[in-house]
Amino acid sequence: MPKATKKQSIWILVAIIAGLAALAGWFWIWPSLQHIDSGINTIQNQKGEIKQLEQQRGLAVEDDIDRYDQVTQNLSDNLVTEENLIKLIEELETIAGESGAEYQLSVAGEDDKDNPAAQKAPDQKDPSQPEPEQDTVELKLRLTGNFPQLLGALKKIENMPTVVNVPDIKIDKSVTINEGVEEDSGPQITGTSVTADYTLIIPLSS
Amino acid sequence: MQQLIDIKQDATSRQLASMQASVQESAEGQAQEKINQLNQAVNTQAKLIANQPQWTPLIEKLLAVTPGGIILNELIGDSEEMTLKISGQAQTRQQLIDFQDTLEGMDFTESLDAPLSNIIEKESVPFDMTVTLKKDSLHTSDAQGN
């Protein structure tokens, strides 16, 4: 076998190196580049998904939460808080005033000493009824006018958007409006002036 | 280079998985919390409204069946005892008896307690009676029936 010249040896070496480089490119560098390209694509897609999820978390959930908040708020508005109790009292005064009847609104236990029918002794209450857990304010509304006025006011109170319970009523068109009538002479009927005592229990929002 | 890409891809995969879990937990958690609050508010309201007596429909019905010869002087309603005490005066005994019969037949009446002393007088008969109301008769849907 003839011995290769130095020049030929160099070319052979270059060819071998080129061959090896081509093999490396085919079997290692090219797949690696494809892998890198695929990885970059995956990363970009995942980043897009992450961005989308961030927006979802921020918006889609907020829509639902807003709806829940709105409904809960509407329900809560039907209950009175200690802070806006005065507003409800003013509404009750307006209803009473608009009815055309004379009215007197008081907190239960303060001004109703002369109104025994409107006030129950504790032992008269049904022991089987559990005490309500809800905080309440009890008011007494006394109206004096004609019957339609008193019934109209009661109807408005019962249909207020705010929850106002009227557990007891007393409508009386006899004794209180007849001056000079002896107590034992029995009820006197005028038909024009009637007194109504309404107990109002207002549940307070916690 | 490839290792760097692999490491970066792993990191984003973990971040994505974490985000997905977080979004789901966050949405479910917040929604659940709101649902609980809403349920609580609805239950409270339902209980309050269920216990809210409506006297006017019942009184309107009473007035509608009260004949001309009967004058009502006093109405005392007690939603705890579920009673309506009625006192007044009837022109004649027969009118009072008829009125009692009518009240006994009303859909809100559980029972009627009318003492015999009511019918001693023949004319200008003062009377007192107690109507025990049916359990749900003070709630709007029932009171407006009949």
Side-chain angles (χ1 to χ4, degrees), chain A residues 35 57 120 158 166 171 173, chain B residues 6 22 55-56 72 78:
Chain A
H35 183 72
R57 185 166 61 177
K120 280 183 186 166
E158 286 175 340
V166 188
I171 300 174
K173 61 174 182 179
Chain B
D6 285 343
S22 154
W55 289 103
T56 42
L72 304 178
D78 185 331

Side-chain angles (χ1 to χ4, degrees), chain A residues 32 35-36 39-40 42-43 46-47 49-50 53-54 56-57 61 65 68-69 71-72 75-76 78-79 117 120 124-126 129 134 147 151 154-155 157-159 162-174 187 189 203, chain B residues 1-2 5-6 8-9 12-16 19-20 22-23 26-27 30-32 34-35 37-38 41-42 44-45 48-49 51-57 59-60 63 71-81 84 89 138 140:
Chain A
S32 293
H35 183 72
I36 288 165
I40 288 169
T42 309
I43 288 168
Q46 286 176 338
K47 278 186 174 173
E49 272 186 68
I50 287 170
L53 286 169
E54 276 174 342
Q56 270 182 22
R57 185 166 61 177
V61 175
I65 300 300
Y68 285 133
D69 280 342
V71 177
T72 310
L75 289 171
S76 299
N78 292 343
L79 290 178
K120 280 183 186 166
Q124 285 179 299
K125 292 199 172 179
D126 182 358
Q129 296 273 334
Q134 184 107 25
F147 192 79
L151 201 60
L154 177 60
K155 195 170 195 169
I157 292 167
E158 286 175 340
N159 291 302
T162 312
V163 178
V164 176
N165 285 329
V166 188
D168 302 319
I169 61 167
K170 180 175 185 278
I171 300 174
D172 186 348
K173 61 174 182 179
S174 56
I189 304 155
Chain B
M1 181 67 177
Q2 192 178 341
I5 292 292
D6 285 343
K8 180 73 180 165
Q9 194 180 337
T12 49
S13 293
R14 277 198 299 273
Q15 193 184 351
L16 180 63
M19 272 305 272
Q20 282 168 332
S22 154
V23 166
S26 165
Q30 287 185 61
Q32 191 59 49
K34 293 294 170 186
I35 286 168
Q37 285 175 3
L38 190 60
V42 168
T44 306
Q45 290 275 308
L48 290 171
I49 289 168
N51 292 328
Q52 196 173 13
Q54 298 275 318
W55 289 103
T56 42
I59 292 171
E60 282 167 353
L63 295 179
I71 293 167
L72 304 178
N73 288 335
E74 192 175 63
L75 298 172
I76 301 177
D78 185 331
S79 65
E80 234 174 69
E81 307 262 339
L84 180 66
Q89 189 160 316
L138 290 177
T140 312

